[in-house]
Amino acid sequence: TTNDMSASESGEEQGQDGRMSLLGILSRNPVDDIQKLLESETFAPDGESFWVDKPDVACIAVATAMAFARPDVMRYLLTDEACCAEVNSFLNFPSFSLFHERTPLGVAMNTKNADRKQQEWLECVWLLVEAGADVDAAAFCGEDEEDEYEEDDYVDQGDVPLEAAVGNGLLIGAQVLRAMGATIPSYWPPLADLSRDEEPGAYDVFEFVHRSADWSPLHFLKWLPTWRTLELLRGDADIHERVTGVGTPLEVAQQLSAKHASATLVIQAASPWSPQTHHLWSKVARKHAVGVLLIGHLFAESAFALRDVQAIKDLWPIFVMPHAMSRASD
């Protein structure tokens, strides 16, 4: 977490005996330096305290990249053949005390970079989820009761990322987790049992989570990456589903900036069918569209068409297809 590594951010990149500090390099160095890191034999996560064997480096690196909000490093770690296998095994099964046994998404909910570098932080979260990170995977909760009286600045180990976001008053964390499908724990108390005066930050986040309980995935459009929005549109998401107080996903999209890529996709999806919007329809609808187009081609080639075969083929998608395709029956 940020608190774990504040000293490392300003520390030297070289540890004792000239060995490289993993945290030091990942905090500010270009991605090219990561290759040099991977070729080394041992690594010091914090520069001095302890060293990590090479097989564990990629696992620690992905959590560190999340803590420092480094999407360039995250993208490299998730795609490079030399480390992606180790990284993928670590996405949902944390095993390092350096990050309080949290998953990388758990680390994301415990770093101040969520506010300081919000866009970079968002990109890292999106990359993790796209790679297979489980938004509901809890931190490891050991059975030992050692250090019972040790002061802890963090949420209790064993929390799921959404609980960490609430506990830390991280609204953007709760928003993006809910957008990516995080479920609300069944054992959470009702909002009426909490007091805004006691924990105003946590209350505001908790209030958002409860308020969004009935939202469809597309209602979280503001916090969705384009790849996830496209998945939903091509699935069974309904852009006209109305939720009281929020409206429909289409209305949400229309309220967002014209530069919001995911909102642009939803608005395009609401337009009549065309070859340009075909990819924004569900699998069933796309199959239906192909069938209707085939009928048009067969009709154009039939004896009924007589002449102007190409004209029929050209006009069919323009005048027939929009009437044959409807979002209401998608």
Side-chain angles (χ1 to χ4, degrees):
T1 64
T2 299
N3 291 342
D4 280 321
M5 296 174 291
S6 58
S8 301
E9 291 190 59
S10 58
E12 296 296 326
E13 292 171 10
Q14 294 291 328
Q16 50 188 323
D17 301 327
R19 292 175 290 187
M20 291 182 295
S21 163
L22 180 61
L23 301 192
I25 286 180
L26 288 177
S27 66
R28 54 188 175 275
N29 283 35
V31 175
D32 291 345
D33 288 351
I34 307 302
Q35 183 63 43
K36 181 173 67 173
L37 183 87
L38 294 173
E39 291 174 353
S40 299
E41 294 301 323
T42 54
F43 308 84
D46 61 0
E48 294 183 2
S49 297
F50 61 97
W51 297 94
V52 180
D53 292 332
K54 190 169 183 177
D56 296 331
V57 170
C59 301
I60 292 182
V62 71
T64 307
M66 183 66 257
F68 285 119
R70 291 288 306 271
D72 53 343
V73 175
M74 183 73 74
R75 190 173 292 106
Y76 173 84
L77 292 169
L78 292 173
T79 57
D80 184 72
E81 293 183 0
C83 54
C84 64
E86 289 84 356
V87 167
N88 288 337
S89 67
F90 179 54
L91 290 180
N92 300 316
F93 300 98
S95 59
F96 297 102
S97 60
L98 177 67
F99 297 102
H100 287 228
E101 284 77 36
R102 295 187 180 98
T103 66
L105 281 179
V107 172
M109 301 303 128
N110 286 274
T111 172
K112 292 184 174 66
N113 280 323
D115 294 319
R116 294 172 179 170
K117 301 166 62 178
Q118 189 172 109
Q119 187 56 45
E120 292 88 346
W121 177 89
L122 269 174
E123 290 181 35
C124 286
V125 172
W126 290 339
L127 286 168
L128 284 171
V129 176
E130 187 176 17
D134 182 357
V135 293
D136 291 325
F140 175 73
C141 188
E143 298 178 354
D144 295 334
E145 297 184 1
E146 297 178 359
D147 302 325
E148 180 180 355
Y149 301 102
E150 182 179 350
E151 184 177 348
D152 191 1
D153 293 329
Y154 312 99
V155 296
D156 294 336
Q157 294 184 20
D159 286 349
V160 297
L162 188 58
E163 289 177 293
V166 172
N168 291 326
L170 188 61
L171 181 59
I172 182 61
Q175 289 167 335
V176 72
L177 285 172
R178 290 285 291 131
M180 304 308 284
T183 56
I184 303 174
S186 59
Y187 50 83
W188 276 17
L191 186 63
D193 289 356
L194 300 183
S195 170
R196 184 188 294 273
D197 295 332
E198 293 181 3
E199 295 183 86
Y203 182 93
D204 290 341
V205 181
F206 199 74
E207 189 274 335
F208 167 81
V209 172
H210 274 275
R211 177 162 44 88
S212 66
D214 297 329
W215 293 12
S216 74
L218 275 182
H219 280 101
F220 296 94
L221 187 64
K222 182 178 180 180
W223 306 284
L224 286 176
T226 53
W227 64 264
R228 177 58 179 155
T229 304
L230 187 58
E231 278 185 353
L232 292 170
L233 290 172
R234 291 168 63 86
D236 57 359
D238 182 2
I239 63 174
H240 298 300
E241 180 179 351
R242 183 170 296 278
V243 172
T244 303
V246 184
T248 67
L250 177 58
E251 291 171 345
V252 172
Q254 292 168 338
Q255 294 169 6
L256 293 172
S257 167
K259 296 181 180 179
H260 195 289
S262 290
T264 299
L265 284 177
V266 171
I267 292 173
Q268 290 175 347
S271 61
W273 180 94
S274 71
Q276 291 71 38
T277 64
H278 177 76
H279 69 291
L280 299 176
W281 292 71
S282 70
K283 182 178 180 180
V284 172
R286 295 195 307 274
K287 184 177 180 180
H288 176 64
V290 171
V292 177
L293 283 170
L294 180 59
I295 292 173
H297 278 261
L298 292 175
F299 175 73
E301 297 288 349
S302 70
F304 296 103
L306 300 177
R307 296 183 299 175
D308 297 328
V309 172
Q310 190 57 48
I312 293 177
K313 291 182 178 179
D314 293 339
L315 294 175
W316 190 272
I318 300 174
F319 293 100
V320 177
M321 290 300 297
H323 294 284
M325 301 292 295
S326 170
R327 282 282 175 187
S329 60
D330 179 17

